[in-house]
Amino acid sequence: MTDVEVPAAADADATPSSARSRRLLDLLVAVLCLAAVGLALAAWAVALAASDTSVEGTVEGGGWGGSGCYPTVAYAVEGRDHVLHADKDTRWCALHWLGPAQVYYEPDDPGQARLSRYGDLPGELLATSLAMVVAAAFLSTRRRPGSEPLPTGSSGPGRGGALRGRHGRVPRLVVVLLIVGWLVAAAAVVVTGERRSSLEDLQSAIDRGEVTQVGERGALLGGERGTAEVQLAWREGGLRYFATVTQYRGRAAERRAPHDAVDAPDVVIGDLDAQLAQGGTDLQIRPDLRTTAPSFVSYVPWGWHVFGWPLYLSLALLVMTVRVLVVAERPRWASRWAWFWLLVAAPVPFALAYLACGGPAARARPTERTSPWLGGTLAFLIAAALTAMQQPVR
């Protein structure tokens, strides 16, 4: 009799404890989401409050290196000279010694200056907000205390409109937000990303007068001789474009330069501004100081260069989508490993396909097929082919 009553008492004590744990976990997720929204709004407010008053200064010193650069920029406001010592950052490596640099300052205190339009605080707040969203997504997909996983092949709802899987739960709201997030990321790639182009196309646009300002990164410094890989960026017809060219300057370097336009179309011999403005057009070439991603996360899908906040948004969405893939019930059409390789190769289309059709949002249909249509090995080969197709052709 005693052996039967003790487990019953233990179960009675475990029920309120499990309920309290579920409520605490849900409360933590809500707090993280509210904090993330608050940080995003704060970043927006800081960006709006940032002064756009600027003046052109001159780079008079500093240090340049592969891990970052810290230029010293001299500028004058209302007859008073000021000096800006920038923190080390890879963005400033595009500046040239004794070259121009746009300095943004506060009208009430010109000594408070920066090289970027909005400063670093909005980006840091947004990065923290994204980290909180990812943490909230992981916590919301954890299996709640006291709940049991559904049998394999079932897809019944859990608590709060969540679908329970073998390794956790997938709130329907998370799936909807991920789909919306991927649609936003795809739109951001088109609007803020850069489409791959060529030096010939840029030169034609300059000659037609459609391009009057070009950003450059990596060009040889004034008086420097040798070879350098230069990335050019410009806007044409409402879209952004980029081209990677090789610059040769100096007698020795120019002798090694290919002179056949067919074999080496993206080649600049001598000064960059002299070649681009050879038609007599009024062209401004300025350093490209936009935020760039580390090389290990550089992403050029189908000829579109993704950088800045859309890239980090896509990375956060990819992590959360993979989390859903792991904890959700067995996906449709392809195995987990197959969906994983496809997601890594082309995140935007395959993430939307998985979430809407192959994942927890898809309607379950009775089928006698027990094995997936697409296995991990074949998906890996498809992903490798897709990745090879996205590589730049030089």
Side-chain angles (χ1 to χ4, degrees), residues 72-379:
T72 299
V73 182
Y75 63 100
V77 178
E78 297 180 353
R80 295 192 59 183
D81 295 331
H82 300 272
V83 177
L84 168 63
H85 299 281
D87 294 332
K88 192 173 185 179
D89 198 301
T90 55
R91 291 175 291 175
W92 317 142
C93 294
L95 293 172
H96 294 250
W97 184 45
L98 297 181
Q102 200 72 16
V103 179
Y104 297 88
Y105 64 91
E106 298 297 329
D108 298 336
D109 186 5
Q112 298 292 326
R114 58 193 181 276
L115 291 177
S116 60
R117 166 68 173 82
Y118 301 105
D120 297 331
L121 183 57
E124 294 172 356
L125 292 176
L126 284 177
T128 306
S129 176
L130 277 177
M132 288 185 172
V133 169
V134 172
F138 269 69
L139 290 176
S140 66
T141 54
R142 280 178 59 88
R143 180 181 300 164
R144 294 306 190 252
S147 63
E148 294 294 333
L150 294 180
T152 302
S154 62
S155 57
R159 296 178 64 254
L163 298 173
R164 297 200 330 240
R166 298 293 298 174
H167 305 285
R169 61 194 292 274
V170 183
R172 297 179 189 274
L173 180 60
V174 171
V175 177
V176 173
L177 292 178
L178 282 175
I179 293 176
V180 173
W182 280 114
L183 292 175
V184 171
V189 168
V190 177
V191 174
T192 67
E194 298 170 347
R195 190 174 184 179
R196 185 180 302 280
S197 186
S198 65
L199 179 61
E200 181 181 2
D201 294 335
L202 172 59
Q203 190 70 67
S204 300
I206 293 174
D207 295 339
R208 294 192 304 267
E210 298 177 0
V211 175
T212 58
Q213 186 170 334
V214 177
E216 62 84 11
R217 177 182 290 271
L220 294 172
L221 302 177
E224 187 178 1
R225 302 291 184 266
T227 306
E229 186 176 272
V230 186
Q231 184 159 317
L232 305 175
W234 68 95
R235 181 183 289 273
E236 179 186 354
L239 296 178
R240 299 177 184 269
Y241 295 86
F242 79 99
T244 304
V245 303
T246 305
Q247 181 184 14
Y248 298 85
R249 188 164 64 189
R251 184 175 302 176
E254 292 178 8
R255 281 201 301 264
R256 298 193 307 268
H259 295 274
D260 190 349
V262 176
D263 296 335
D266 294 329
V267 168
V268 173
I269 299 178
D271 293 335
L272 182 64
D273 53 352
Q275 177 165 332
L276 292 179
Q278 60 185 347
T281 56
D282 185 12
L283 179 67
Q284 291 183 341
I285 300 180
R286 295 187 175 275
D288 187 358
L289 303 182
R290 291 171 303 174
T291 302
T292 57
S295 58
F296 65 89
V297 293
S298 60
Y299 184 40
V300 186
W302 309 109
W304 288 86
H305 180 206
V306 185
F307 58 93
W309 68 267
L311 172 62
Y312 294 104
L313 173 62
S314 300
L315 289 175
L317 290 171
L318 179 60
V319 171
M320 291 185 284
T321 303
V322 172
R323 170 65 178 176
V324 171
L325 174 65
V326 171
V327 303
E329 186 54 41
R330 186 177 63 188
R332 299 180 61 204
W333 309 118
S335 65
R336 295 185 197 272
W337 276 110
W339 279 115
F340 172 77
W341 292 123
L342 295 176
L343 286 171
V344 172
V348 175
F350 286 112
L352 291 173
Y354 165 70
L355 292 170
C357 303
R363 291 182 176 273
R365 296 178 181 177
T367 177
E368 297 179 356
R369 187 181 180 90
T370 58
S371 60
W373 292 95
L374 182 62
T377 303
L378 181 57

Side-chain angles (χ1 to χ4, degrees), residues 14-33:
T15 301
S17 175
S18 300
R20 285 194 301 269
S21 299
R22 288 196 295 265
R23 286 196 295 269
L24 288 176
L25 195 56
D26 292 339
L27 178 62
L28 180 58
V29 171
V31 169
L32 285 174
C33 291

